[in-house]
Coordinates of all heavy atoms in Angstrom, one line a residue:
M711 N -0.1 -21.7 42.0 CA -0.2 -22.4 40.8 C -0.9 -21.4 39.8 O -1.9 -20.8 40.1 CB -1.1 -23.7 40.9 CG -1.2 -24.5 39.7 SD -2.0 -26.0 40.1 CE -1.6 -26.9 38.7
T712 N -0.3 -21.3 38.6 CA -0.9 -20.4 37.6 C -1.9 -21.1 36.8 O -1.9 -22.3 36.6 CB 0.2 -19.9 36.6 OG1 0.8 -21.0 36.0 CG2 1.3 -19.1 37.4
K713 N -2.8 -20.3 36.3 CA -4.0 -20.8 35.5 C -3.6 -20.9 34.0 O -3.1 -19.9 33.5 CB -5.1 -19.9 35.7 CG -6.5 -20.5 35.4 CD -7.5 -19.4 35.8 CE -8.9 -20.1 35.8 NZ -9.9 -19.1 36.1
A714 N -3.7 -22.0 33.4 CA -3.4 -22.1 32.0 C -4.6 -21.7 31.1 O -5.7 -21.8 31.5 CB -3.0 -23.6 31.6
I715 N -4.3 -21.1 30.0 CA -5.3 -20.6 29.1 C -5.6 -21.8 28.1 O -4.7 -22.3 27.5 CB -4.9 -19.4 28.3 CG1 -4.7 -18.2 29.2 CG2 -5.9 -19.1 27.2 CD1 -4.2 -17.0 28.5
H716 N -6.8 -22.2 28.1 CA -7.2 -23.4 27.2 C -8.3 -22.9 26.2 O -9.4 -23.4 26.2 CB -7.8 -24.5 28.0 CG -6.8 -25.1 29.0 ND1 -5.8 -25.9 28.6 CD2 -6.6 -24.9 30.3 CE1 -5.1 -26.3 29.6 NE2 -5.5 -25.7 30.7
M717 N -7.9 -21.9 25.4 CA -8.8 -21.4 24.4 C -8.2 -21.6 23.0 O -7.2 -20.8 22.7 CB -9.1 -19.9 24.6 CG -9.9 -19.7 25.9 SD -10.4 -18.0 26.1 CE -8.9 -17.2 26.4
A718 N -8.6 -22.5 22.2 CA -8.1 -22.7 20.9 C -8.5 -21.4 20.0 O -9.6 -21.0 20.1 CB -8.7 -23.9 20.2
G719 N -7.5 -20.9 19.3 CA -7.8 -19.8 18.5 C -7.8 -18.4 19.2 O -8.2 -17.4 18.6
F720 N -7.3 -18.4 20.4 CA -7.2 -17.1 21.2 C -6.3 -16.2 20.4 O -5.2 -16.5 20.0 CB -6.7 -17.4 22.6 CG -6.5 -16.2 23.4 CD1 -7.5 -15.4 23.9 CD2 -5.2 -15.7 23.6 CE1 -7.3 -14.3 24.6 CE2 -5.0 -14.5 24.3 CZ -6.0 -13.8 24.8
V721 N -6.8 -14.9 20.2 CA -6.0 -13.9 19.6 C -5.8 -12.8 20.6 O -6.8 -12.2 21.0 CB -6.7 -13.4 18.3 CG1 -5.9 -12.3 17.7 CG2 -6.9 -14.5 17.3
P722 N -4.6 -12.5 21.0 CA -4.4 -11.4 21.9 C -4.7 -10.0 21.3 O -4.6 -9.9 20.1 CB -2.9 -11.4 22.2 CG -2.3 -12.2 21.1 CD -3.4 -13.1 20.6
Q723 N -5.2 -9.1 22.1 CA -5.5 -7.8 21.6 C -4.4 -6.8 21.9 O -3.8 -6.9 23.0 CB -6.8 -7.3 22.3 CG -8.0 -8.1 22.0 CD -8.4 -8.1 20.5 OE1 -8.5 -7.0 19.9 NE2 -8.6 -9.3 19.9
F724 N -4.0 -6.0 20.9 CA -3.0 -5.1 21.1 C -3.5 -3.6 21.0 O -4.4 -3.4 20.2 CB -1.9 -5.2 20.1 CG -1.2 -6.6 20.1 CD1 -1.5 -7.6 19.2 CD2 -0.3 -6.8 21.1 CE1 -0.8 -8.8 19.3 CE2 0.4 -8.1 21.2 CZ 0.1 -9.0 20.3
D725 N -3.0 -2.8 21.8 CA -3.4 -1.3 21.8 C -2.7 -0.7 20.5 O -1.8 -1.3 20.0 CB -2.9 -0.6 23.0 CG -3.6 -1.0 24.3 OD1 -4.8 -1.4 24.2 OD2 -3.0 -0.9 25.4
L726 N -3.2 0.4 20.1 CA -2.6 1.1 19.0 C -1.1 1.3 19.1 O -0.4 1.1 18.2 CB -3.3 2.5 18.8 CG -2.7 3.4 17.7 CD1 -2.9 2.7 16.3 CD2 -3.4 4.7 17.7
C727 N -0.7 1.7 20.3 CA 0.8 1.9 20.5 C 1.5 0.6 20.3 O 2.6 0.7 19.7 CB 1.0 2.5 21.9 SG 0.5 1.5 23.3
D728 N 1.0 -0.5 20.7 CA 1.7 -1.8 20.4 C 1.7 -2.1 18.9 O 2.7 -2.6 18.4 CB 0.9 -3.0 21.2 CG 1.0 -2.8 22.6 OD1 2.0 -2.4 23.2 OD2 -0.1 -3.1 23.3
R729 N 0.6 -1.9 18.2 CA 0.5 -2.2 16.8 C 1.5 -1.3 16.0 O 2.1 -1.8 15.1 CB -0.9 -2.0 16.3 CG -1.9 -3.0 16.9 CD -3.3 -3.0 16.2 NE -4.0 -1.7 16.3 CZ -4.8 -1.3 17.3 NH1 -5.0 -2.1 18.3 NH2 -5.4 -0.1 17.2
V730 N 1.6 -0.1 16.3 CA 2.5 0.8 15.6 C 4.0 0.3 15.9 O 4.8 0.2 14.9 CB 2.4 2.3 16.1 CG1 3.5 3.2 15.5 CG2 1.0 2.8 15.6
R731 N 4.3 0.0 17.1 CA 5.6 -0.5 17.4 C 5.9 -1.8 16.7 O 7.0 -2.0 16.1 CB 5.8 -0.7 18.9 CG 7.2 -1.2 19.3 CD 7.4 -1.4 20.8 NE 6.3 -2.1 21.4 CZ 6.2 -3.5 21.4 NH1 7.0 -4.2 20.8 NH2 5.1 -4.0 22.0
K732 N 5.0 -2.7 16.7 CA 5.1 -4.0 16.0 C 5.3 -3.8 14.5 O 6.1 -4.5 13.9 CB 4.0 -5.0 16.3 CG 4.0 -5.5 17.7 CD 2.8 -6.3 18.0 CE 2.7 -6.7 19.5 NZ 3.9 -7.1 20.1
A733 N 4.5 -2.9 13.9 CA 4.6 -2.7 12.5 C 6.0 -2.1 12.1 O 6.6 -2.5 11.2 CB 3.5 -1.7 12.1
R734 N 6.5 -1.2 13.0 CA 7.8 -0.6 12.7 C 8.9 -1.7 12.9 O 9.8 -1.8 12.0 CB 8.1 0.5 13.8 CG 9.5 1.1 13.6 CD 9.7 2.2 14.7 NE 9.5 1.8 16.0 CZ 10.5 1.1 16.7 NH1 11.6 0.7 16.1 NH2 10.3 0.8 18.0
E735 N 8.8 -2.5 13.9 CA 9.8 -3.5 14.1 C 9.8 -4.6 13.0 O 10.9 -5.0 12.5 CB 9.6 -4.2 15.5 CG 10.0 -3.3 16.6 CD 9.6 -3.9 18.0 OE1 8.9 -4.9 18.0 OE2 10.0 -3.3 19.0
V736 N 8.6 -5.0 12.5 CA 8.5 -6.0 11.5 C 9.1 -5.4 10.2 O 9.7 -6.1 9.4 CB 7.1 -6.5 11.3 CG1 6.9 -7.2 10.0 CG2 6.7 -7.3 12.5
A737 N 8.9 -4.1 10.0 CA 9.4 -3.4 8.8 C 10.9 -3.2 8.9 O 11.6 -2.8 7.9 CB 8.7 -2.1 8.5
G738 N 11.5 -3.5 10.1 CA 12.9 -3.3 10.3 C 13.4 -1.8 10.3 O 14.5 -1.5 9.9
L739 N 12.5 -1.0 10.9 CA 12.8 0.4 10.9 C 13.0 0.9 12.3 O 12.4 0.4 13.3 CB 11.6 1.2 10.3 CG 11.2 0.9 8.9 CD1 9.9 1.6 8.5 CD2 12.3 1.3 7.9
T740 N 13.9 1.9 12.5 CA 14.0 2.6 13.7 C 12.9 3.7 13.8 O 12.3 4.0 12.8 CB 15.4 3.3 13.8 OG1 15.4 4.4 12.8 CG2 16.6 2.4 13.7
Q741 N 12.7 4.3 14.9 CA 11.8 5.4 15.0 C 12.1 6.5 14.1 O 11.2 7.1 13.5 CB 11.6 5.9 16.5 CG 10.9 4.9 17.4 CD 10.8 5.4 18.8 OE1 11.5 6.3 19.2 NE2 9.9 4.8 19.6
D742 N 13.4 6.8 14.0 CA 13.8 7.9 13.1 C 13.5 7.5 11.6 O 13.0 8.4 10.9 CB 15.4 8.1 13.2 CG 15.8 8.9 14.4 OD1 15.0 9.8 14.8 OD2 16.8 8.6 15.0
E743 N 13.8 6.3 11.2 CA 13.5 5.9 9.8 C 12.0 5.9 9.5 O 11.6 6.3 8.5 CB 14.1 4.5 9.6 CG 15.6 4.5 9.6 CD 16.2 3.1 9.7 OE1 15.5 2.1 10.2 OE2 17.4 2.9 9.2
L744 N 11.2 5.4 10.5 CA 9.8 5.4 10.2 C 9.3 6.8 10.1 O 8.5 7.2 9.3 CB 9.0 4.7 11.4 CG 7.5 4.7 11.3 CD1 7.0 4.2 9.9 CD2 6.9 3.9 12.4
G745 N 9.7 7.7 11.0 CA 9.3 9.1 10.9 C 9.7 9.7 9.6 O 8.8 10.4 9.0
E746 N 10.9 9.4 9.1 CA 11.3 10.0 7.8 C 10.4 9.4 6.7 O 9.9 10.2 5.8 CB 12.7 9.6 7.5 CG 13.3 10.3 6.3 CD 14.8 10.0 6.1 OE1 15.5 10.1 7.1 OE2 15.2 9.7 5.0
K747 N 10.2 8.1 6.7 CA 9.3 7.5 5.6 C 7.9 8.0 5.7 O 7.2 8.1 4.6 CB 9.4 6.0 5.7 CG 10.7 5.4 5.2 CD 10.6 3.9 5.3 CE 11.8 3.2 4.7 NZ 11.6 3.0 3.3
A748 N 7.4 8.2 6.9 CA 6.0 8.5 7.1 C 5.8 10.1 7.0 O 4.6 10.5 7.1 CB 5.4 8.0 8.4
G749 N 6.8 10.8 7.0 CA 6.7 12.3 7.0 C 6.3 12.9 8.3 O 5.6 13.9 8.4
V750 N 6.7 12.2 9.4 CA 6.4 12.7 10.8 C 7.7 12.7 11.5 O 8.7 12.0 11.1 CB 5.3 11.9 11.5 CG1 4.0 11.9 10.8 CG2 5.8 10.5 11.8
G751 N 7.8 13.4 12.6 CA 9.0 13.4 13.4 C 9.2 12.2 14.2 O 8.2 11.4 14.5
R752 N 10.4 11.9 14.6 CA 10.7 10.8 15.5 C 10.0 10.9 16.8 O 9.5 9.9 17.4 CB 12.2 10.6 15.8 CG 12.5 9.3 16.6 CD 13.8 9.5 17.5 NE 13.7 10.5 18.4 CZ 13.1 10.5 19.6 NH1 12.4 9.4 19.9 NH2 13.0 11.5 20.4
A753 N 9.9 12.1 17.3 CA 9.1 12.4 18.6 C 7.7 12.0 18.4 O 7.1 11.4 19.4 CB 9.2 13.8 19.0
T754 N 7.1 12.2 17.3 CA 5.7 11.8 17.0 C 5.6 10.3 17.1 O 4.7 9.7 17.7 CB 5.2 12.3 15.7 OG1 5.2 13.7 15.7 CG2 3.8 11.8 15.4
V755 N 6.5 9.6 16.4 CA 6.5 8.1 16.4 C 6.6 7.6 17.9 O 5.9 6.7 18.3 CB 7.6 7.5 15.5 CG1 7.7 6.0 15.7 CG2 7.4 7.9 14.1
A756 N 7.6 8.2 18.6 CA 7.8 7.8 20.0 C 6.6 8.0 20.9 O 6.2 7.2 21.7 CB 9.0 8.5 20.6
R757 N 5.9 9.2 20.7 CA 4.8 9.5 21.4 C 3.6 8.5 21.1 O 2.9 8.1 22.1 CB 4.3 10.9 21.1 CG 3.3 11.5 22.0 CD 3.0 13.0 21.8 NE 3.2 13.6 20.5 CZ 4.3 14.3 20.1 NH1 5.3 14.6 20.9 NH2 4.4 14.7 18.8
I758 N 3.4 8.2 19.9 CA 2.4 7.2 19.5 C 2.7 5.8 20.2 O 1.8 5.2 20.7 CB 2.3 7.0 18.0 CG1 1.8 8.3 17.4 CG2 1.4 5.8 17.6 CD1 1.9 8.3 15.8
E759 N 4.0 5.4 20.1 CA 4.4 4.1 20.7 C 4.2 4.1 22.2 O 4.1 3.0 22.8 CB 5.8 3.7 20.2 CG 5.9 3.4 18.8 CD 7.2 2.9 18.4 OE1 8.1 2.7 19.2 OE2 7.4 2.6 17.1
R760 N 4.3 5.3 22.8 CA 4.1 5.3 24.3 C 2.6 5.5 24.7 O 2.3 5.4 25.9 CB 4.9 6.5 24.9 CG 6.4 6.3 25.0 CD 7.1 7.3 25.9 NE 6.6 8.7 25.6 CZ 7.2 9.5 24.8 NH1 8.2 9.2 24.0 NH2 6.7 10.8 24.6
G761 N 1.8 5.6 23.7 CA 0.3 5.8 23.9 C 0.0 7.1 24.5 O -1.1 7.3 25.1
K762 N 0.8 8.1 24.2 CA 0.5 9.5 24.6 C -0.3 10.3 23.5 O 0.2 10.5 22.4 CB 1.8 10.3 24.9 CG 2.7 9.6 25.9 CD 2.0 9.6 27.3 CE 2.9 8.9 28.3 NZ 2.2 8.6 29.5
G763 N -1.5 10.6 23.8 CA -2.3 11.3 22.9 C -2.9 10.4 21.8 O -2.6 9.2 21.7
T764 N -3.7 11.0 21.0 CA -4.3 10.3 19.8 C -3.7 10.8 18.5 O -3.8 12.0 18.2 CB -5.9 10.6 19.8 OG1 -6.4 10.2 21.1 CG2 -6.5 9.8 18.7
P765 N -3.1 9.9 17.8 CA -2.4 10.4 16.5 C -3.5 10.8 15.5 O -4.6 10.2 15.5 CB -1.7 9.1 16.1 CG -2.3 8.0 16.8 CD -2.9 8.5 18.0
R766 N -3.1 11.7 14.6 CA -4.0 12.1 13.5 C -4.1 10.9 12.6 O -3.2 10.1 12.4 CB -3.4 13.2 12.8 CG -3.4 14.5 13.6 CD -2.8 15.7 12.9 NE -2.6 15.5 11.5 CZ -1.6 16.0 10.8 NH1 -0.6 16.6 11.4 NH2 -1.5 15.8 9.5
R767 N -5.3 10.8 12.0 CA -5.6 9.7 11.0 C -4.6 9.7 9.9 O -4.1 8.7 9.4 CB -7.0 9.8 10.5 CG -7.5 8.5 9.8 CD -9.0 8.5 9.7 NE -9.4 7.2 9.5 CZ -9.8 6.7 8.3 NH1 -9.8 7.5 7.2 NH2 -10.3 5.5 8.2
A768 N -4.2 10.9 9.4 CA -3.2 11.0 8.3 C -1.9 10.4 8.7 O -1.2 9.8 7.9 CB -3.1 12.5 7.9
S769 N -1.5 10.6 10.0 CA -0.2 10.0 10.4 C -0.3 8.5 10.4 O 0.6 7.8 10.0 CB 0.1 10.5 11.9 OG 0.3 11.9 11.9
L770 N -1.5 8.0 10.9 CA -1.6 6.5 10.9 C -1.6 5.9 9.4 O -1.0 4.9 9.2 CB -2.9 6.1 11.6 CG -2.9 6.3 13.1 CD1 -4.3 5.8 13.6 CD2 -1.8 5.5 13.7
I771 N -2.2 6.6 8.5 CA -2.2 6.2 7.1 C -0.8 6.2 6.6 O -0.4 5.2 6.0 CB -3.1 7.1 6.2 CG1 -4.6 6.9 6.6 CG2 -2.9 6.9 4.8 CD1 -5.5 7.9 6.0
A772 N 0.0 7.2 6.9 CA 1.4 7.3 6.4 C 2.2 6.2 7.1 O 3.1 5.6 6.4 CB 1.9 8.7 6.8
I773 N 2.0 5.9 8.4 CA 2.7 4.9 9.0 C 2.4 3.5 8.4 O 3.3 2.7 8.2 CB 2.5 4.9 10.6 CG1 3.1 6.1 11.2 CG2 2.9 3.6 11.3 CD1 2.8 6.4 12.6
A774 N 1.1 3.3 8.2 CA 0.7 2.0 7.6 C 1.4 1.8 6.2 O 1.9 0.8 5.9 CB -0.8 1.9 7.4
F775 N 1.4 2.9 5.4 CA 2.0 2.8 4.1 C 3.5 2.6 4.2 O 4.1 1.7 3.5 CB 1.7 4.1 3.3 CG 2.1 4.0 1.9 CD1 1.4 3.3 0.9 CD2 3.3 4.6 1.5 CE1 1.8 3.2 -0.4 CE2 3.8 4.6 0.2 CZ 3.0 3.9 -0.8
A776 N 4.1 3.3 5.1 CA 5.6 3.2 5.3 C 6.0 1.8 5.8 O 7.1 1.4 5.5 CB 6.1 4.3 6.2
T777 N 5.2 1.2 6.6 CA 5.6 -0.1 7.1 C 5.0 -1.3 6.3 O 5.4 -2.4 6.5 CB 5.1 -0.3 8.6 OG1 3.6 -0.1 8.6 CG2 5.8 0.8 9.5
G778 N 4.0 -1.0 5.5 CA 3.4 -2.1 4.6 C 2.4 -2.9 5.4 O 2.0 -3.9 4.9
V779 N 1.9 -2.4 6.5 CA 0.8 -3.1 7.2 C -0.6 -2.6 6.7 O -0.7 -1.5 6.2 CB 0.9 -3.0 8.7 CG1 2.2 -3.5 9.2 CG2 0.7 -1.6 9.2
D780 N -1.6 -3.4 7.0 CA -3.0 -3.0 6.6 C -3.4 -1.8 7.5 O -3.3 -1.9 8.8 CB -3.9 -4.2 6.9 CG -5.3 -3.9 6.5 OD1 -5.6 -4.0 5.3 OD2 -6.1 -3.6 7.5
F781 N -3.9 -0.8 6.9 CA -4.3 0.4 7.7 C -5.4 0.1 8.7 O -5.4 0.5 9.8 CB -4.8 1.5 6.8 CG -5.4 2.7 7.5 CD1 -4.7 3.5 8.3 CD2 -6.8 2.9 7.4 CE1 -5.2 4.5 9.1 CE2 -7.4 3.9 8.2 CZ -6.6 4.7 9.0
N782 N -6.4 -0.7 8.2 CA -7.5 -1.1 9.1 C -7.0 -1.8 10.4 O -7.4 -1.5 11.5 CB -8.6 -1.9 8.4 CG -9.8 -2.1 9.2 OD1 -10.4 -1.2 9.7 ND2 -10.1 -3.4 9.5
W783 N -6.0 -2.7 10.2 CA -5.5 -3.4 11.4 C -4.7 -2.4 12.3 O -4.9 -2.4 13.5 CB -4.5 -4.5 10.9 CG -3.8 -5.1 12.1 CD1 -4.3 -6.0 13.0 CD2 -2.5 -4.7 12.6 NE1 -3.3 -6.3 14.0 CE2 -2.2 -5.5 13.7 CE3 -1.5 -3.9 12.1 CZ2 -1.0 -5.4 14.4 CZ3 -0.3 -3.8 12.8 CH2 -0.1 -4.6 14.0
L784 N -4.0 -1.5 11.6 CA -3.2 -0.5 12.4 C -4.2 0.3 13.2 O -4.0 0.6 14.4 CB -2.3 0.3 11.5 CG -1.3 1.2 12.3 CD1 -0.3 0.4 13.0 CD2 -0.7 2.2 11.3
E785 N -5.2 0.8 12.6 CA -6.2 1.7 13.3 C -7.1 1.0 14.3 O -7.3 1.5 15.4 CB -7.0 2.4 12.2 CG -8.0 3.4 12.8 CD -8.8 4.1 11.8 OE1 -9.4 3.5 10.9 OE2 -8.9 5.4 11.8
T786 N -7.6 -0.2 14.0 CA -8.6 -0.8 14.8 C -8.1 -2.1 15.5 O -8.8 -2.5 16.5 CB -9.8 -1.2 13.9 OG1 -9.4 -2.3 13.0 CG2 -10.4 -0.1 13.2
G787 N -7.1 -2.8 15.0 CA -6.7 -4.0 15.6 C -7.4 -5.2 15.0 O -7.1 -6.4 15.4
E788 N -8.3 -5.0 14.0 CA -9.0 -6.1 13.4 C -8.2 -6.7 12.3 O -7.6 -6.0 11.5 CB -10.3 -5.5 12.8 CG -11.3 -5.1 13.9 CD -12.6 -4.5 13.3 OE1 -12.8 -4.6 12.1 OE2 -13.3 -3.9 14.1
T789 N -8.1 -8.0 12.3 CA -7.4 -8.7 11.3 C -8.0 -8.6 9.9 O -9.2 -8.8 9.8 CB -7.2 -10.2 11.6 OG1 -6.7 -10.3 12.9 CG2 -6.3 -11.0 10.7
P790 N -7.3 -8.2 8.9 CA -7.9 -8.1 7.5 C -8.4 -9.5 7.0 O -7.7 -10.5 7.3 CB -6.8 -7.6 6.7 CG -5.5 -7.7 7.4 CD -5.9 -7.9 8.9
A791 N -9.5 -9.5 6.3 CA -10.0 -10.7 5.7 C -9.4 -10.9 4.3 O -8.8 -10.0 3.7 CB -11.5 -10.7 5.6
G792 N -9.5 -12.1 3.8 CA -9.0 -12.3 2.4 C -8.1 -13.5 2.3 O -8.3 -14.3 1.4
E793 N -7.2 -13.7 3.2 CA -6.3 -14.8 3.1 C -6.6 -15.8 4.3 O -7.1 -15.3 5.3 CB -4.8 -14.3 3.3 CG -4.4 -13.5 2.1 CD -4.1 -14.3 0.9 OE1 -3.5 -15.4 1.0 OE2 -4.6 -13.9 -0.2
P794 N -6.3 -17.1 4.1 CA -6.6 -18.0 5.2 C -5.9 -17.6 6.5 O -6.4 -17.8 7.6 CB -6.0 -19.3 4.7 CG -5.9 -19.2 3.2 CD -5.8 -17.7 3.0
D795 N -4.7 -17.0 6.5 CA -4.0 -16.6 7.7 C -4.4 -15.2 8.2 O -3.9 -14.7 9.1 CB -2.5 -16.7 7.5 CG -2.0 -15.7 6.5 OD1 -2.8 -15.0 5.9 OD2 -0.8 -15.6 6.3
G796 N -5.4 -14.6 7.5 CA -5.9 -13.3 7.9 C -5.2 -12.2 7.2 O -5.5 -11.0 7.3
G797 N -4.1 -12.5 6.4 CA -3.3 -11.5 5.7 C -4.0 -11.1 4.4 O -5.0 -11.7 4.0
S798 N -3.4 -10.2 3.8 CA -3.9 -9.7 2.5 C -2.9 -10.0 1.4 O -1.7 -9.9 1.6 CB -4.1 -8.2 2.6 OG -4.5 -7.7 1.3
A799 N -3.3 -10.4 0.3 CA -2.4 -10.7 -0.9 C -1.9 -9.4 -1.5 O -1.0 -9.5 -2.3 CB -3.2 -11.6 -1.9
V800 N -2.5 -8.3 -1.2 CA -2.1 -7.1 -1.8 C -1.1 -6.4 -1.0 O -1.3 -6.2 0.2 CB -3.4 -6.1 -2.0 CG1 -2.9 -4.8 -2.5 CG2 -4.4 -6.7 -2.8
R801 N 0.0 -6.1 -1.5 CA 1.1 -5.4 -0.8 C 1.5 -4.2 -1.6 O 1.5 -4.2 -2.9 CB 2.3 -6.3 -0.7 CG 2.0 -7.5 0.1 CD 3.3 -8.0 0.9 NE 3.1 -9.2 1.6 CZ 2.6 -9.3 2.8 NH1 2.2 -8.3 3.4 NH2 2.4 -10.5 3.4
H802 N 1.9 -3.1 -0.9 CA 2.4 -1.9 -1.6 C 3.8 -2.3 -2.3 O 4.7 -2.8 -1.6 CB 2.6 -0.8 -0.6 CG 1.3 -0.4 0.1 ND1 0.3 0.2 -0.6 CD2 0.9 -0.6 1.3 CE1 -0.7 0.4 0.2 NE2 -0.3 0.0 1.4
Q803 N 3.9 -2.0 -3.5 CA 5.1 -2.3 -4.2 C 6.3 -1.5 -3.6 O 6.2 -0.3 -3.3 CB 5.0 -1.8 -5.7 CG 6.2 -2.2 -6.5 CD 6.0 -2.0 -8.0 OE1 5.1 -1.3 -8.4 NE2 7.0 -2.4 -8.8
G804 N 7.4 -2.2 -3.3 CA 8.6 -1.7 -2.7 C 8.5 -1.6 -1.2 O 9.5 -1.3 -0.6
L805 N 7.4 -2.1 -0.6 CA 7.3 -2.1 0.8 C 7.1 -3.5 1.4 O 6.5 -3.7 2.4 CB 6.2 -1.2 1.3 CG 6.4 0.3 1.0 CD1 5.2 1.1 1.4 CD2 7.6 0.8 1.8
E806 N 7.5 -4.5 0.6 CA 7.3 -5.9 1.0 C 8.2 -6.1 2.3 O 9.2 -5.5 2.5 CB 7.8 -6.9 -0.1 CG 7.0 -6.8 -1.3 CD 7.4 -5.7 -2.3 OE1 8.4 -5.1 -2.0 OE2 6.7 -5.5 -3.3
P807 N 7.7 -7.0 3.2 CA 8.5 -7.3 4.3 C 9.9 -7.8 4.0 O 10.0 -8.5 2.9 CB 7.7 -8.4 5.0 CG 6.3 -8.3 4.5 CD 6.5 -7.8 3.1
R808 N 10.8 -7.5 4.8 CA 12.2 -7.9 4.5 C 12.3 -9.4 4.7 O 11.7 -10.0 5.6 CB 13.2 -7.3 5.4 CG 13.2 -5.8 5.2 CD 14.3 -5.1 6.1 NE 14.3 -3.7 5.8 CZ 15.2 -2.9 6.3 NH1 16.0 -3.3 7.1 NH2 15.1 -1.6 6.0
T809 N 13.1 -10.1 3.9 CA 13.3 -11.5 4.1 C 14.8 -11.7 4.6 O 15.6 -10.9 4.2 CB 13.1 -12.3 2.8 OG1 13.9 -11.8 1.8 CG2 11.7 -12.3 2.4
H810 N 15.0 -12.7 5.3 CA 16.3 -13.0 5.9 C 17.0 -14.1 5.2 O 16.5 -15.0 4.8 CB 16.3 -13.2 7.4 CG 15.7 -12.0 8.1 ND1 16.3 -10.8 8.3 CD2 14.5 -11.9 8.7 CE1 15.5 -10.0 9.0 NE2 14.4 -10.7 9.2

C-alpha cells in the first residue's frame, strides 16, 4: 500500500536543471532556440538541463530573460512574491508566455 501525502500547500522542489527545462518548455522553445535567444550554445542548454556542471550566472540571467521567467526563481527555486499566486505582474515586453 502506498502512502498518501496529506499536506495542504505542499510545493515540490525542483533542481536547477528541472527549472531550466520547465522554463524552456513553457516558453515553447527547443534547446536550439533557447540557446540562440540566450546567446549560448545548444550544448550548454543541454548540459544545464542534464545537471552537468554549474552554469555561469550570466548564462542563467540570459536564460531567464529569453524564457520570461523570474531570475530569482530560476537561480534559487524560490517563488517570487507580489502576486497572490506567487507570480509577478512585471513581464519583459515581447517575452510574454504564449497563449493557445
Side-chain angles (χ1 to χ4, degrees):
M711 184 171 195
T712 60
K713 199 175 195 180
I715 297 177
H716 296 285
M717 295 185 290
F720 174 74
V721 177
Q723 297 297 308
F724 297 105
D725 292 332
L726 174 63
C727 57
D728 297 318
R729 293 190 301 272
V730 170
R731 181 179 48 80
K732 290 176 186 317
R734 177 181 59 79
E735 290 173 348
V736 167
L739 301 171
T740 65
Q741 289 181 342
D742 284 324
E743 292 167 333
L744 176 55
E746 186 175 317
K747 284 181 172 272
V750 300
R752 186 209 57 81
T754 298
V755 174
R757 194 171 28 258
I758 293 169
E759 289 185 6
R760 285 193 316 268
K762 303 296 181 189
T764 304
R766 293 182 11 221
R767 194 162 200 257
S769 297
L770 289 181
I771 291 169
I773 289 170
F775 187 77
T777 59
V779 301
D780 181 83
F781 170 71
N782 188 57
W783 173 80
L784 190 64
E785 183 178 46
T786 67
E788 295 176 11
T789 304
E793 293 288 315
D795 64 357
S798 173
V800 177
R801 298 212 186 273
H802 300 289
Q803 186 175 6
L805 294 175
E806 295 84 8
R808 294 182 181 187
T809 56
H810 301 290

